[in-house]
Amino acid sequence: MQKLAVEMNNVEFIYPDGLRALSDVNLKIYEGERVVILGPNGAGKSTLLMLINGLLKSTRGNVYVLGLSVEGKNLMEIRRRVGFVFQNPDDQLFCPTLWEDVIFGPLNMGLSKDEVEYRGYEALKAVGLENLKDRPPHHLSLGEKKRAAIATALAMHPQILILDEPTANLDPLGYIELVKILNQLHKERKVTLITATCDINIAPLIADRVYLLNKGKIVGEGLLREVLSNLKLINYANLQPPIITQLFANLVKLGIIKLDKLLPVTIDEAINEIMQLKKD
Ligand SMILES: Nc1ncnc2c1ncn2[C@@H]1O[C@H](COP(=O)(O)OP(=O)(O)OP(=O)(O)O)[C@@H](O)[C@H]1O
Ligand SMILES: [Mg+2]
């Protein structure tokens, strides 16, 4: 039987000023899954992620990570196994040099010097920052900081990797590289990937399943193509469909093509549909 990586039961979160950020959230993410939490600004995505690693505590309902209830006595263990990339990299980088930031986690795990060094170089190489290792993080560009934040999480070799808006401020090549890195981690180390984003175009490239979040509530859940090609639902969630889905929706509307299947949500799916149309 598949094991649960994260489980939320009837979770509510109200900020101390009274703002209700999440209501009645139910969610099950299994080990080895690639899941995206998709929603517009202010939907509650970051709040939801912070409940997973215990930075925030639900005001109602329960949160479990790898079978452990997210609370005081389990937090150390949970944070050792869950890597977290904050939305704002300044929340993650606090050492005098990038190198110290990247090896901070592995050092605190009590690993050997060689292993710490190996992990540090491996993580920096993965995000293409090995040449900047001696720079102070606050002197890095925003995109470089984002990559640095990702490297600090990678160096921990987490079982679950949580990323909050990982593509924000990345240039197009950085974006493609990130998609590659995440999928490689998933394939080679079976890392469970949980990404929060408002970037609907990246969602199908880094996830198989999606939870749609709007105004603190889960308003949709399912396989990427099923959910993202549901134009009514996407509209209801205050999002826009992927650009390729919009193109196909227009082609169908204009009567230029006919599709019996769901609209494509990635370029690869679009190519398959076109090949099929050419055959018919
Ligand atoms: N510390 C706080 N105190 C009070 N309200 C907060 C606090 N942090 C966030 N909020 C509010 O909680 C709601 C959810 O915020 P959250 O940051 O989780 O949204 P988000 O989906 O991550 O948005 P974004 O796409 O902009 O990152 C918003 O209405 C926000 O204004
Ligand atoms: Mg956020």
Side-chain angles (χ1 to χ4, degrees):
M1 209 177 82
Q2 262 187 311
K3 281 199 203 151
L4 278 167
V6 176
E7 184 177 11
M8 291 192 173
N9 297 321
N10 308 108
V11 165
E12 168 198 85
F13 184 79
I14 300 178
Y15 277 104
D17 67 358
L19 189 128
R20 177 185 287 270
L22 295 173
S23 313
D24 201 24
V25 170
N26 288 289
L27 163 154
K28 277 189 167 75
I29 298 173
Y30 290 90
E31 279 194 61
E33 270 203 297
R34 300 184 307 158
V35 171
V36 72
I37 316 290
L38 188 66
N41 291 144
K45 304 181 295 296
S46 297
T47 307
L48 189 153
L49 294 188
M50 286 190 279
L51 290 170
I52 299 178
N53 81 342
L55 278 170
L56 298 176
K57 186 162 177 20
S58 60
T59 42
R60 185 183 289 178
N62 304 306
V63 184
Y64 298 96
V65 173
L66 297 164
L68 300 167
S69 160
V70 179
E71 60 184 310
K73 63 178 176 9
N74 294 328
L75 288 187
M76 282 261 281
E77 175 69 6
I78 289 172
R79 290 189 188 145
R80 210 173 54 76
R81 295 163 80 175
V82 179
F84 199 99
V85 178
F86 287 92
Q87 181 160 10
N88 180 357
D90 290 332
D91 291 341
Q92 194 133 13
L93 307 166
F94 47 83
C95 292
T97 64
L98 171 56
W99 177 250
E100 288 163 277
D101 261 323
V102 171
I103 61 166
F104 184 85
L107 263 184
N108 280 294
M109 287 163 84
L111 300 172
S112 71
K113 192 167 167 278
D114 284 354
E115 178 68 15
V116 169
E117 295 236 324
Y118 171 77
R119 290 211 187 174
Y121 280 110
E122 179 195 46
L124 283 178
K125 196 159 171 281
V127 298
L129 290 187
E130 63 271 43
N131 295 330
L132 302 185
K133 75 180 207 358
D134 299 318
R135 299 267 304 273
H138 59 276
H139 284 178
L140 300 177
S141 79
L142 208 49
E144 288 165 351
K145 279 186 191 172
K146 196 79 203 185
R147 292 170 193 229
I150 293 167
T152 63
L154 294 184
M156 301 281 292
H157 284 196
Q159 202 171 337
I160 302 175
L161 182 56
I162 296 182
L163 304 112
D164 197 352
E165 303 287 353
T167 51
N169 298 308
L170 289 191
D171 60 29
L173 281 184
Y175 190 102
I176 292 170
E177 269 308 307
L178 180 70
V179 169
K180 265 200 225 153
I181 294 168
L182 295 182
N183 286 322
Q184 208 174 339
L185 278 177
H186 177 257
K187 201 166 152 209
E188 290 172 5
R189 294 202 203 135
K190 312 274 176 269
V191 175
T192 307
L193 293 178
I194 306 173
T195 310
T197 187
C198 52
D199 178 354
I200 199 164
N201 289 293
I202 199 176
L205 306 181
I206 54 167
D208 302 300
R209 203 155 65 80
V210 52
Y211 284 94
L212 279 187
L213 195 63
N214 189 29
K215 297 179 185 158
K217 293 198 171 116
I218 304 275
V219 295
E221 179 273 325
L223 297 176
L224 258 297
R225 189 164 182 178
E226 277 170 16
V227 174
L228 299 196
S229 66
N230 184 338
L231 305 187
K232 261 195 190 152
L233 180 59
I234 292 300
N235 193 31
Y236 177 69
N238 290 323
L239 291 164
Q240 286 282 307
I243 197 88
I244 200 82
T245 315
Q246 293 184 37
L247 170 67
F248 270 70
N250 280 320
L251 291 173
V252 170
K253 207 162 147 192
L254 292 167
I256 297 171
I257 59 168
K258 275 205 177 101
L259 269 189
D260 347 311
K261 281 206 270 169
L262 299 172
L263 291 166
V265 299
T266 63
I267 291 179
D268 285 348
E269 286 171 7
I271 291 172
N272 282 339
E273 291 309 330
I274 291 168
M275 300 291 272
Q276 200 55 48
L277 289 170
K278 268 180 76 182
K279 265 195 229 153
D280 295 344

